[in-house]
Amino acid sequence: MTTRPRNLIDPYQPTPARLHSVFLGGKDHYEPDDALAKNLSSSTIRPAITESRRFTRRAVEYLSDHHGVSQFVELGSGLPHAPNIHDIAEQRSDTARTLYVDSDILVAAHGRAMLHEGPRYFTDTDIADTDAIMGDIAAVMDTTAPLAVCVSGTAEWISDAPAVLAALTDRFPVGTWLVLTHVTDEFYPDHIQAAAETLRRAGIPYHPRGRDEITAMLAGYQLLAPGLFAPHRWPPTPSREGDSENGDRDGIRRLWATATRHRAAWDLSAYAAIGQRRQ
């Protein structure tokens, strides 16, 4: 696994990982992160981020239940906030493995302390380092078995994200699943563009993208219905094959934590998709 020395944590400079922690109700953040989140509290960027996270959790459930996926890689994993990807995967498979990747200093500190042995792993490899990422995946995953890569709330922070994702896609084994979410400025453009400018002034570059550019990022993948869609409109699965006549109460209880909260009739400033890499 690849690790490198990092600079010291700067509690006065907001970061994407700590900002997400505020939005998702986590506890790993500092006063500047809280202040920045407060400035963005009335923007549609906050529900876009939170609903994208819920979509990712539901996608992990779906791929585990319906496609036999028990290996998950999360690129730009951020700070832990239950239910994490491994929590969901391990509820559904005794052989589940999860690899978290994030180069944020605080995230790396948490990852090295909490995820130092299987079936949960962490690396602080730079996502743009394709060779290193693939080496990290090969070190802990069976690349001949079903594998899903989650990129949620990550691409927006990377200026050349389309090129980075294309380079990784070229290296992923055929059959690899991709779970992608991405904030867009096509809905509520004034809100999202103002939020992006607020983030830039805080020293955090942010890159919302339109449907065409996000669609291009999914080239090479066969998308599950309904394709590229608003994350809060992709429904959770209330029951699974083999559930009893009265329903699987444990399954429903687990699903409740990841269920959609944003009203389906509303627009949301984000897109989401699940796809499988084609030949």
Side-chain angles (χ1 to χ4, degrees):
M1 307 289 282
T2 307
T3 56
R4 295 177 302 282
R6 302 288 184 183
N7 296 325
L8 296 175
I9 294 170
D10 183 355
Y12 303 105
Q13 172 59 47
T15 69
R18 299 200 311 255
L19 184 62
H20 272 209
S21 179
V22 180
F23 285 164
L24 299 176
K27 57 182 177 56
D28 299 305
H29 44 80
Y30 301 117
E31 185 175 340
D33 308 294
D34 291 326
L36 181 56
K38 185 176 181 180
N39 287 342
L40 297 169
S41 61
S42 63
S43 171
T44 58
I45 196 171
R46 184 165 190 159
I49 289 172
T50 55
E51 291 298 342
S52 292
R53 187 60 182 169
R54 292 189 182 107
F55 165 85
T56 301
R57 291 166 174 163
R58 295 197 300 277
V60 171
E61 292 177 334
Y62 181 85
L63 290 175
S64 297
D65 292 346
H66 297 279
H67 293 277
V69 179
S70 61
Q71 301 184 114
F72 293 89
V73 178
E74 184 168 24
L75 301 180
S77 55
L79 291 154
H81 183 68
N84 298 288
I85 298 300
H86 71 263
D87 296 319
I88 299 168
E90 290 172 18
Q91 285 176 344
R92 286 162 162 74
S93 173
D94 293 335
T95 61
R97 298 181 190 179
T98 307
L99 171 62
Y100 295 104
V101 181
D102 202 306
S103 58
D104 179 276
I105 305 166
L106 184 59
V107 175
H110 277 268
R112 285 192 291 266
M114 301 172 62
L115 304 169
H116 57 278
E117 60 183 18
R120 309 160 193 168
Y121 306 88
F122 176 84
T123 176
D124 63 351
T125 304
D126 188 329
I127 294 172
D129 189 342
T130 308
D131 289 339
I133 291 289
M134 295 310 300
D136 290 339
I137 292 174
V140 298
M141 300 289 182
D142 177 0
T143 56
T144 67
L147 171 71
V149 177
C150 303
V151 183
S152 179
T154 300
E156 299 91 330
W157 311 102
I158 304 172
S159 61
D160 58 346
V164 170
L165 186 56
L168 287 169
T169 295
D170 286 345
R171 302 287 299 276
F172 290 154
V174 171
T176 297
W177 292 92
L178 177 69
V179 176
L180 177 71
T181 73
H182 203 300
V183 169
T184 182
D185 56 4
E186 289 186 349
F187 310 106
Y188 306 106
D190 292 344
H191 274 234
I192 297 301
Q193 290 165 11
E197 181 57 32
T198 298
L199 288 165
R200 293 184 192 111
R201 288 199 302 268
I204 304 176
Y206 197 73
H207 309 278
R209 295 180 171 94
R211 184 182 184 91
D212 289 347
E213 194 169 8
I214 298 169
T215 297
M217 294 170 69
L218 293 162
Y221 295 91
Q222 180 68 46
L223 303 187
L224 294 181
L228 188 61
F229 213 62
H232 66 304
R233 292 178 179 168
W234 195 85
T237 306
S239 62
R240 300 188 299 276
E241 292 180 12
D243 288 351
S244 67
E245 204 170 68
N246 296 324
D248 179 355
R249 292 186 177 182
D250 288 338
I252 292 172
R253 188 178 299 114
R254 288 195 298 268
L255 189 59
W256 179 255
T258 64
T260 183
R261 304 285 180 85
H262 197 80
R263 290 186 185 178
W266 295 351
D267 287 328
L268 193 72
S269 300
Y271 284 115
I274 303 173
Q276 187 174 34
R277 192 186 169 201
R278 299 174 296 206
Q279 294 283 353

